[in-house]
Amino acid sequence: MKILITGGAGFIGYHLSKRLLEEGHEVTGLDNINDYYDVNLKYHRLEDIGINRHGIETGRIVSSSKYDKLRFIKLSLEDSEVLDLFKAEKFDVVVNLAAQAGVRYSLINPKAYIDSNIVGFLNILEGCRHSGVGHLVYASSSSVYGLNEKMPFSIHDNVDHPISLYAASKKSNELMAHTYSHLFNIPTTGLRFFTVYGPWGRPDMALFLFTKAILAGEPIHIFNNGKMRRDFTYVDDIVSGVMNVIKKKATVNKNWKGEDPDPGTSCAPYRIYNIGNSNPESLMDFIAELEKQLGKEAIKNFEPMQPGDVEATWANVDDLVNDFNYKPGTSVEKGVKAFVDWYRFYHKV
């Protein structure tokens, strides 16, 4: 298949690109390489798959020296040139992983979330509409569950009470996708990611921040006084799930009824899935495993809950298991070790 991956220089985009290329698919990566976190990490991901940073110019497609079916273009989703790319390339599948991420940052710079996650996503939908894309797969987030405290989180439950603009923007993506599925019969599949971690991960995520601080002998900041649980999901398990979803278009739910609407499906070709480990871990146990792998105890600063945060996440992945035979199988011990090994290699520590 001919596949566009937006956020191609990002954490999940990098890993997904490699897997798709190994299967022989034609991949175009798109990313604006913004400075929300260290751009060198983004360039190093690209260089690992054969994209020379010195050849990258905004709006210009460059080819990989490592994979003959990989190309990359630097663009922002909110730029009108994105629509030109869709018309010129005629992609079979689009995987939208590009977004302004981060719950806490959305309290500081809300406009970035509207530009990238709303305006940018509209361009993705319009591109799919006008170029005959066969399937749009896009990243949503466990953050959409907001004030919902029913565990585990289910796609069939209401998610109308987000507590951060980031979460609201992701919920908006789901609503926008449904509209286009209904109006233009575009198959769309939204994936609510749950706390993804692993090698080449984002520096603003807890595992990266904790590792950096512990090795430097600096304190780590533990919110809600450590009373947090997260459905930590290793990146390889996420990518395996996304790979299966790409290959099977969203379909209508023939039993869907307007008088009792199911939020996770529709009478349009629209589907929502949770994609997580479905095995929430105590944050303190996660930190203990990290200390074990680093061979060093953390200096712990316990702090109150931060605005926009939730105490626990837990993914009900039954629908993804039933429809795609999804099998997350990476233990926290194995996943944290893989991250620490990569971190020591990458940072030479």
Side-chain angles (χ1 to χ4, degrees), residues 101-127:
V103 168
R104 295 184 188 114
Y105 186 63
S106 68
L107 278 67
I108 299 168
N109 187 7
K111 186 175 184 299
Y113 292 77
I114 301 303
D115 291 343
S116 178
N117 301 5
I118 304 298
V119 177
F121 193 66
L122 175 62
N123 279 346
I124 292 290
L125 290 168
E126 280 291 286

Side-chain angles (χ1 to χ4, degrees), residues 168-188:
S169 72
K170 287 299 187 178
K171 166 68 173 176
S172 298
N173 287 172
E174 296 178 3
L175 296 173
M176 294 164 73
H178 182 268
T179 301
Y180 273 66
S181 292
H182 173 74
L183 290 174
F184 309 113
N185 203 38
I186 301 169
T188 66

Side-chain angles (χ1 to χ4, degrees), residues 261-275:
D262 172 16
T265 65
S266 177
C267 55
Y270 166 90
R271 296 278 169 157
I272 297 291
Y273 294 97
N274 288 331
I275 182 164

Side-chain angles (χ1 to χ4, degrees), residues 23 42 62 70 113 157 180 211-212 219 239 252 306:
E23 281 200 2
K42 299 180 182 183
V62 294
L70 172 64
Y113 292 77
D157 292 339
Y180 273 66
T211 301
K212 181 180 179 181
V239 168
V252 303
Q306 296 293 291

Side-chain angles (χ1 to χ4, degrees), residues 23-171:
E23 281 200 2
H25 299 287
E26 184 177 342
V27 175
T28 299
L30 179 151
D31 203 295
N32 67 359
I33 317 183
N34 67 29
D35 61 359
Y36 169 64
Y37 62 80
D38 183 11
V39 296
N40 284 312
L41 177 57
K42 299 180 182 183
Y43 281 122
H44 287 149
R45 291 181 187 129
L46 291 173
E47 288 172 343
D48 191 64
I49 52 177
I51 301 295
N52 185 339
R53 73 166 73 192
H54 301 295
I56 296 174
E57 297 176 11
T58 300
R60 176 175 174 262
I61 294 178
V62 294
S63 298
S64 167
S65 61
K66 189 173 180 179
Y67 296 97
D68 60 4
K69 291 187 177 182
L70 172 64
R71 300 180 305 160
F72 177 81
I73 184 168
K74 182 182 178 183
L75 275 179
S76 292
L77 289 185
E78 57 266 34
D79 292 344
S80 60
E81 290 91 331
V82 168
L83 299 175
D84 297 330
L85 178 71
F86 273 81
K87 292 175 184 176
E89 297 295 330
K90 305 293 185 185
F91 300 107
D92 299 312
V93 175
V94 173
V95 184
N96 181 43
L97 301 174
Q100 179 56 62
V103 168
R104 295 184 188 114
Y105 186 63
S106 68
L107 278 67
I108 299 168
N109 187 7
K111 186 175 184 299
Y113 292 77
I114 301 303
D115 291 343
S116 178
N117 301 5
I118 304 298
V119 177
F121 193 66
L122 175 62
N123 279 346
I124 292 290
L125 290 168
E126 280 291 286
C128 291
R129 172 190 175 188
H130 293 292
S131 64
V133 169
H135 188 194
L136 169 62
V137 180
Y138 62 95
S140 186
S141 168
S142 61
S143 297
V144 301
Y145 287 100
L147 293 176
N148 188 344
E149 295 181 354
K150 179 183 174 184
M151 293 288 176
F153 292 154
S154 170
I155 62 161
H156 304 294
D157 292 339
N158 180 286
V159 288
D160 285 342
H161 299 88
I163 57 173
S164 70
L165 187 64
Y166 169 67
S169 72
K170 287 299 187 178
K171 166 68 173 176

